[in-house]
Amino acid sequence: MCLDSSNSETRNRFRSLLLPYIIIMSVVMVTVVAGGIMCFTEISSLHDSFRTGLFSALKKYKSDLYMKSEIDSLQTKYQCCGSEYYTDWFAVSWVDETYLNMESQNVKSKLTGGEYLNDDVPFSCCNINTPRPCIHHHVHDNDRHYNYDYRTLVTLYKTGCRDALMDFYGDTVLTNSGIATLITCGLQLFLVVGVRYLQTSINTAVDTGDPEATSLGYFLYIPSGDKEKPGKDVKIKTKKKKKDKTSDEEEAVNEVGLSSEFEEADETTPLRKGKPEMELEESDF
C-alpha cells in the first residue's frame, strides 16, 4: 500500500486508505505499549500470586493425585523445594494417614491438630548433584543418620519454587517480552510517522494542482498567526502566476490591436491628402 501510494501512477488506489491506516496503527501501537508496560508492572503481582498458589498446592499434595504429580514435576524440573524453602513442607501434612501407623507412639507424637507434621519432604526435593544418598525424612534429625549434619550439608534443593519460577517467568519471560514489545512498538512508530509524512505530502501535492509535483509533508499541522496550511501558499502562488500570465496575454492583445489601428490610419491618411491636389490640378485647366 505504501509502495503504490508513493508512485504517482498508482497512488489513487490507496490514497484514501492512508489516513484510516494511520489511525488503526496508532491505536494498535498504544495497545502494544500498554502491554509492554504491563509486562514490567505485573512482575510484583506475579510474585505474590506464586506465593499464594504454591502454598495452596502444597496442602493438596496428599489428597489430589494430579496436584501431587504437578508439584513433583515442578520441583524436579526447576530444581526447587517448597514455596520459599524446603522447610515449608514441615508445616504441611503431605503424607496420607493411610500410610501411617496411627498406633505408633512416634507417629502420635507428631500429630498436631489431628495432622501428621514432621521434618520430612517429598522425594522430588532431592538434589541429584549430591554424592550422598538423599535424606528426605527426618531431615533435621542428625542422630538418625550417620555422618550427617543438616546445618552444613543437606541433600535437598535449597531454592524455593517461588524464586525459581520468578527467575524464569519474571526475569526471563516477562522482562524479555516487555523489551521485545517496546522495540516492536518503536519500529511501528517509525512506520506510522513515515506513512503520515507520505499521506500529507500527497495531499499537499494534490492541493497545488499537480499530483506528481514534489511537495513537503508534515506530521502535525499547528496553525499559528497568519501562517497558512502547507500547500495553500503554493496554490496561491500558482493562481497568481496564472493571473500574471493572463494579464500579460491581455496586454499583448491590446498592443496588437493598437498597432493595427495605427496601420489603418497610415493607409488612409495619404488618400485624404491627395484629394485636394487633384482638385487643384483640374482647376488649372
Side-chain angles (χ1 to χ4, degrees):
M1 183 175 67
C2 295
L3 180 62
D4 289 343
S5 298
S6 63
N7 189 347
S8 60
E9 297 178 357
T10 59
R11 67 176 47 164
N12 289 329
R13 290 189 299 175
F14 298 106
R15 176 173 170 248
S16 60
L17 298 178
L18 288 177
L19 184 58
Y21 174 81
I22 293 171
I23 295 173
I24 294 173
M25 291 299 291
S26 298
V27 173
V28 172
M29 183 177 62
V30 172
T31 305
V32 171
V33 170
I37 294 174
M38 286 182 64
C39 288
F40 296 102
T41 58
E42 290 299 314
I43 292 178
S44 59
S45 61
L46 183 65
H47 190 275
D48 296 333
S49 298
F50 279 145
R51 180 177 60 83
T52 305
L54 286 171
F55 268 115
S56 177
L58 296 183
K59 294 178 180 179
K60 296 179 181 179
Y61 186 86
K62 72 175 182 179
S63 59
D64 190 335
L65 183 60
Y66 173 77
M67 190 63 67
K68 176 182 181 298
S69 176
E70 289 296 314
I71 292 176
D72 287 335
S73 298
L74 173 67
Q75 294 186 143
T76 303
K77 179 179 179 180
Y78 290 95
Q79 297 185 352
C80 59
C81 185
S83 176
E84 298 183 10
Y85 201 55
Y86 69 86
T87 55
D88 293 337
W89 286 106
F90 298 173
V92 176
S93 177
W94 60 273
V95 180
D96 196 320
E97 287 77 7
T98 306
Y99 309 105
L100 295 173
N101 183 7
M102 303 303 294
E103 301 297 328
S104 174
Q105 293 297 325
N106 187 30
V107 173
K108 290 181 179 180
S109 63
K110 302 295 183 180
L111 293 177
T112 303
E115 294 184 344
Y116 178 76
L117 300 178
N118 193 27
D119 53 348
D120 304 329
V121 299
F123 76 96
S124 55
C125 286
C126 293
N127 189 345
I128 60 175
N129 297 317
T130 57
R132 184 187 181 112
C134 183
I135 299 176
H136 62 98
H137 288 291
H138 306 285
V139 177
H140 285 183
D141 192 350
N142 293 334
D143 296 334
R144 284 180 173 268
H145 311 288
Y146 176 74
N147 195 20
Y148 173 77
D149 189 352
Y150 74 90
R151 291 166 295 187
T152 58
L153 177 64
V154 293
T155 58
L156 308 174
Y157 295 121
K158 293 183 178 181
T159 302
C161 290
R162 184 181 66 174
D163 293 336
L165 291 174
M166 283 301 301
D167 289 341
F168 179 74
Y169 289 101
D171 298 338
T172 303
V173 175
L174 287 180
T175 301
N176 292 339
S177 298
I179 293 173
T181 302
L182 294 180
I183 291 175
T184 303
C185 180
L187 297 176
Q188 193 172 4
L189 176 62
F190 178 79
L191 177 63
V192 169
V193 171
V195 175
R196 173 61 176 168
Y197 274 103
L198 174 63
Q199 183 250 339
T200 54
S201 177
I202 292 174
N203 290 342
T204 303
V206 172
D207 291 341
T208 62
D210 187 3
E212 298 184 2
T214 301
S215 59
L216 297 177
Y218 54 89
F219 184 71
L220 292 175
Y221 170 66
I222 303 176
S224 58
D226 297 334
K227 292 185 178 180
E228 298 289 341
K229 182 178 179 180
K232 287 188 176 180
D233 292 340
V234 180
K235 189 173 182 180
I236 292 171
K237 289 180 182 178
T238 304
K239 288 184 178 179
K240 287 182 179 180
K241 288 182 180 179
K242 289 183 179 179
K243 290 181 180 179
D244 294 341
K245 185 177 180 180
T246 303
S247 61
D248 292 341
E249 290 178 353
E250 291 176 354
E251 291 178 0
V253 171
N254 293 333
E255 290 178 359
V256 171
L258 291 174
S259 61
S260 300
E261 293 178 357
F262 283 124
E263 289 176 358
E264 291 177 358
D266 292 340
E267 290 177 357
T268 56
T269 301
L271 292 176
R272 292 176 180 176
K273 291 179 179 180
K275 188 173 181 180
E277 291 178 358
M278 293 294 294
E279 292 177 352
L280 290 173
E281 290 177 359
E282 291 178 356
S283 62
D284 291 339
F285 293 103

